[in-house]
Amino acid sequence: MGEFDFSVWQPSLPFIRDGLLFTLRLTLVAMSGGIVIGTLLALARLSPIAPLSRIAGAYVDLMRSIPLVLVILWFFLVIPFITGSPVGAETSAVITFTAFEAAFYCEIMRSGIQSVPRGQVDAAQALGLGQAQTMVHVILPQAVRNMIPVLLTQTIVLFQDTSLVYAIGAKDMLKAADVVGKNYNRPVEMIMLSALIYFAICFSLSLAVKQLQKRVAIIR
Amino acid sequence: MNYHWNWGIFLEQVKSGDETYVDWLVTGLGWTLAVSLTAWIIALSIGIAVGALRTTPSRLLVLLANAWVELFRNIPLLVQMFLWFFVVPEFLPRDWSLWVKQDMPAKEFVTAALCLGFFTSSRVAEQVRAGVGSLPRGQRDAALALGLTLPQAYRQVILPQALRIVIPPLTSEFMNVFKNSSVAFAIGVLELTFQARQMQEDSEQGIETYLAVTLLYFICAFTANRGMALIEARTRVPGLIARTG
């Protein structure tokens, strides 16, 4: 057994807090952006306009078949060519995760929309609602409600995946733990601390999702 | 910004030695396959056992197996890589710990394969549990009524059916293993993503590099998908599963 010195946890806390704040910000921005873009992608995939649905489908399949680390590296490389000037690792991470998660939220929203009974659409049209109104007022609210637990589970996965910004050196929680570990020459204790924090957050969130799942069960 | 395309880059020599960039990518593909396939074997063996335990009547076994799944599901894979690489050796007895740190052959590969294998085992366990749960209760009851012991019932009746039912979700887990093996770059496994970063820095032809590596990952995922589809077609339970895809 090695000898551990956990006293390094105390001075590391301010750095861990700053890192965690970035991790949380990244998660929240990518989640909101991802859900909005993902829903638009899902609508495109389900649209009767063939080119639109094909483009959306190709984008989703592409994102889902490449390792996330590679997507992070791709965006970090390509974004400067599009914007014309170098962007920081943090900005690049936000753009990457929003674009990447959109593909996954799209699939969730698509199955959510498809899970709404056909009669709902018929009833909405019988009431005189237009296509867009039917989507916004009838289908989407039910689709989102049915999919809330799955959307949140995907967000827990996203929260864990943000640690991969390590590949481009963005300053998230893991990076903070890494830096403190190097400065105090206590890398082992700092890895254990970050593992504990990730576990505590993800485990309690997944318990909460399970509770929620029972309460928002599909009402038919 | 202008980009200077150079598709011949792959055949050029690397700046730091006498290999070509293609050699780097081939080495990378080799390690990616080695890590993924080893991890998949570990994941299947442990995952099937843990998944089956979660469906037994023993509350203790269920609790332990559930704890296993929660542990590996709630820590990011990258952090798990660091845990296996830096932290686990510290918990071994002194002599072992020294051996692991100094003399263990292919340390990065062994660590990455174990880590990815254990991580994936929790996901396989989840699928296997669902598969066993989807079997009609009568299968278990009939097996026990025929005088089989519970382990026999699992081996002869329950698992042979459940495992065939879960092949489609296991196919996507198998494809995920190849994607997730990319995280092994962080502990220095010379796999595709590691080589991609190295080649990008060395050659400054990032787009060609990443395109080639993306294509190689595609080929891995596609091959894995077709291979599993073949197994699925061969092992279909007659009269039980509707033909799909």
Side-chain angles (χ1 to χ4, degrees), chain B residues 120-201:
Chain B
T120 311
S121 83
S122 72
R123 307 165 63 125
V124 171
E126 203 54 355
Q127 306 296 353
V128 170
R129 182 185 67 137
V132 173
S134 75
L135 287 180
R137 244 204 103 72
Q139 294 285 336
R140 178 191 303 250
D141 295 341
L144 295 176
L146 282 171
L148 273 75
T149 61
L150 192 64
Q152 281 175 329
Y154 267 92
R155 233 183 29 242
Q156 314 279 357
V157 179
I158 301 174
L159 284 180
Q161 297 183 70
L163 290 183
R164 288 188 274 182
I165 294 176
V166 296
I167 288 177
L170 285 187
T171 301
S172 48
E173 282 311 323
F174 189 34
M175 293 165 75
N176 280 337
V177 169
F178 287 95
K179 285 198 284 173
N180 287 334
S181 71
S182 61
V183 178
F185 86 90
I187 57 169
V189 178
L190 303 177
E191 47 75 57
L192 271 175
T193 303
F194 186 96
Q195 304 286 11
R197 296 174 86 210
Q198 180 173 253
M199 177 173 166
Q200 192 250 323
E201 272 172 31

Side-chain angles (χ1 to χ4, degrees), chain A residues 1 19 22 35 67 85 108 145 178 186 199 201 214 220:
Chain A
M1 279 278 267
F22 172 73
I35 290 180
S85 60
I108 298 172
R145 186 189 166 103
D178 190 45
R186 285 281 158 202
F199 183 83
I201 296 177
K214 284 180 196 151
R220 288 256 162 86

Side-chain angles (χ1 to χ4, degrees), chain A residues 58-75 96 100-101 103-104 161 164, chain B residues 175-183 192-193 196 210-222:
Chain A
Y59 176 80
V60 171
D61 289 343
L62 181 71
M63 285 296 167
R64 281 157 51 96
S65 48
I66 313 178
L68 175 53
V69 185
L70 202 55
V71 179
I72 294 173
L73 294 174
W74 259 119
F75 273 77
T96 308
F100 181 78
E101 291 302 322
F104 289 80
D161 280 347
L164 292 175
Chain B
M175 293 165 75
N176 280 337
V177 169
F178 287 95
K179 285 198 284 173
N180 287 334
S181 71
S182 61
V183 178
L192 271 175
T193 303
Y210 290 166
L211 274 175
V213 171
T214 303
L215 186 71
L216 288 175
Y217 273 114
F218 259 130
I219 295 173
C220 286
F222 184 75

Side-chain angles (χ1 to χ4, degrees), chain A residues 1-4 61-70 73-74 77-78 80-81 84-86 104 153 156 159-161 163-168 174 178 187-188 191-192 194-196 198-200 202-203 206 210, chain B residues 1-3 70-80 82-83 86-87 89-94 97 119 175-176 178-180 182-183 185-186 193 196-197 200 205-208 210-214 217-218 221:
Chain A
M1 279 278 267
E3 281 157 19
F4 300 109
D61 289 343
L62 181 71
M63 285 296 167
R64 281 157 51 96
S65 48
I66 313 178
L68 175 53
V69 185
L70 202 55
L73 294 174
W74 259 119
L77 177 76
V78 171
F81 287 107
S85 60
F104 289 80
T153 304
I156 299 175
F159 175 71
Q160 294 189 27
D161 280 347
S163 61
L164 292 175
V165 295
Y166 178 85
I168 52 172
L174 186 59
D178 190 45
V188 172
I191 295 167
M192 289 164 83
S194 59
L196 274 177
Y198 274 116
F199 183 83
C202 295
F203 186 61
S206 69
K210 258 181 214 149
Chain B
M1 269 202 249
N2 281 319
Y3 188 77
E70 294 300 337
L71 179 67
F72 289 102
R73 264 172 43 144
N74 286 307
I75 300 176
L77 180 57
L78 178 59
V79 179
Q80 290 190 36
F82 289 150
L83 282 175
F86 297 108
V87 181
E90 302 290 334
F91 281 92
L92 296 172
R94 198 174 173 73
S97 172
F119 173 80
M175 293 165 75
N176 280 337
F178 287 95
K179 285 198 284 173
N180 287 334
S182 61
V183 178
F185 86 90
T193 303
R197 296 174 86 210
Q200 192 250 323
Q205 298 294 145
I207 296 187
E208 291 89 336
Y210 290 166
L211 274 175
V213 171
T214 303
Y217 273 114
F218 259 130

